[in-house]
Amino acid sequence: MIRLPLPVKMPQIVKWIYPNYLWDKKKECKGEKILFLTFDDGPIPMVTPWVLELLRKYDAKATFFVIGENVAKHPEIFQDVLYNGHRIGNHTYNHLNGKKSELKFYWENIIKTDQKIQENIQKTAPERYLAYHKKQKLFRPPYGQLRSNQAKLLKKKGYTIVLYDVLAYDWDKSTTGNKCSKNVLNHAENGSIILFHDSLKAYENIKIALPKVLESFAREGYTFKSL
């Protein structure tokens, strides 16, 4: 699996080694200019609502990989994500590192999150969204760390394991919002899955980086879609 420190642009050799993970959607985007924004670790007060408002401004859809504990704490924000038509992915209940977790505990943590997601979707989302979510459940491992037996179980249970093509590095306190925006602007290409965080740790950087990314790529004729 991915080793720390994480690369800004995922090397092609890593994608070849792990072909069963979703790294990008470049093959599906020929003839169109599409980027796939993803946000990890929410929903969080202040941060997630700010992200949603900015996405609305650009008519952009994204995919939110949520922490189950945060969904339980902030169901109204999670439901706002749904109301705005974004996709939802599972990011474990407590942001677990797969490499440090036994299979049974890790799987129970994922199921607990999925139950919380489904509970809120049933309250909020239209039937067509419910059907779509049940057809293809998305999972992103925190830290990009996953054991082979965990990955095999997830695939067996019908989850698509989503990693990334470009990493903003917005959670890193040692970097800047301008550097985060350059990470994306200099490396994203048609079909890229881009990883941001709607977390308090990332907020100062994402406040600067996300508007620049949306404005620049929208000017180039890109649309932003969910996975």
Side-chain angles (χ1 to χ4, degrees):
M1 218 31 250
I2 306 174
R3 301 190 178 204
L4 299 176
L6 302 173
V8 170
K9 178 74 171 179
M10 185 54 62
Q12 190 62 45
I13 190 171
V14 177
K15 299 179 183 181
W16 288 337
I17 294 171
Y18 299 100
N20 292 325
Y21 302 154
L22 182 61
W23 301 97
D24 59 61
K25 300 192 75 173
K26 295 173 185 176
K27 292 181 180 178
E28 296 95 320
C29 293
K30 291 180 180 178
E32 298 182 80
K33 299 178 77 172
I34 303 171
L35 294 171
F36 298 90
L37 299 175
T38 65
F39 297 88
D40 286 7
D41 297 354
I44 295 292
M46 182 172 71
V47 186
T48 306
W50 177 84
V51 170
L52 291 175
E53 181 60 32
L54 188 61
L55 293 176
R56 277 194 293 270
K57 179 180 176 182
Y58 288 90
D59 194 26
K61 300 304 179 189
T63 304
F64 288 78
F65 288 88
V66 297
I67 298 292
E69 188 175 39
N70 287 336
V71 174
K73 289 178 181 177
H74 313 294
E76 70 291 343
I77 302 176
F78 176 80
Q79 290 164 14
D80 198 24
V81 176
L82 296 175
Y83 276 128
N84 280 271
H86 302 292
R87 255 335 271 289
I88 299 298
N90 189 318
H91 200 46
T92 76
Y93 202 84
N94 307 107
H95 206 264
L96 294 184
N97 187 325
K99 289 291 188 182
K100 299 179 181 180
S101 305
E102 294 301 323
L103 177 61
K104 184 175 183 295
F105 180 72
Y106 196 71
W107 177 244
E108 289 173 349
N109 199 272
I110 292 168
I111 290 300
K112 186 177 180 181
T113 303
D114 207 47
Q115 289 171 343
K116 188 59 64 176
I117 289 171
Q118 292 288 356
E119 174 188 314
N120 280 275
I121 285 179
Q122 288 168 12
K123 292 178 183 176
T124 309
E127 286 301 318
R128 60 186 177 83
Y129 186 93
L130 266 175
Y132 185 55
H133 181 76
K134 288 178 178 178
K135 182 179 179 181
Q136 183 191 41
K137 292 185 286 190
L138 305 177
F139 177 78
R140 175 176 280 156
Y143 311 104
Q145 298 291 299
L146 200 61
R147 295 185 181 185
S148 60
N149 62 347
Q150 296 163 347
K152 288 178 182 177
L153 182 57
L154 281 158
K155 298 289 286 186
K156 181 180 178 181
K157 296 294 185 178
Y159 286 84
T160 296
I161 301 172
V162 182
L163 274 297
Y164 70 92
D165 183 45
V166 177
L167 180 61
Y169 255 96
D170 49 349
W171 81 89
D172 187 351
K173 292 289 187 180
S174 68
T175 193
T176 66
N178 286 327
K179 180 65 169 68
C180 293
S181 66
K182 289 178 181 177
N183 287 340
V184 178
L185 294 173
N186 292 342
H187 294 97
E189 54 190 317
N190 196 26
S192 285
I193 296 174
I194 301 166
L195 173 52
F196 281 103
H197 294 76
D198 56 329
S199 65
L200 290 174
K201 186 183 291 187
Y203 188 45
E204 290 304 313
N205 285 331
I206 200 175
K207 277 196 306 184
I208 297 170
L210 186 58
K212 290 185 176 183
V213 167
L214 285 164
E215 180 182 359
S216 179
F217 281 117
R219 193 187 312 122
E220 293 179 27
Y222 281 88
T223 57
F224 305 92
K225 294 185 178 182
S226 58
L227 295 171

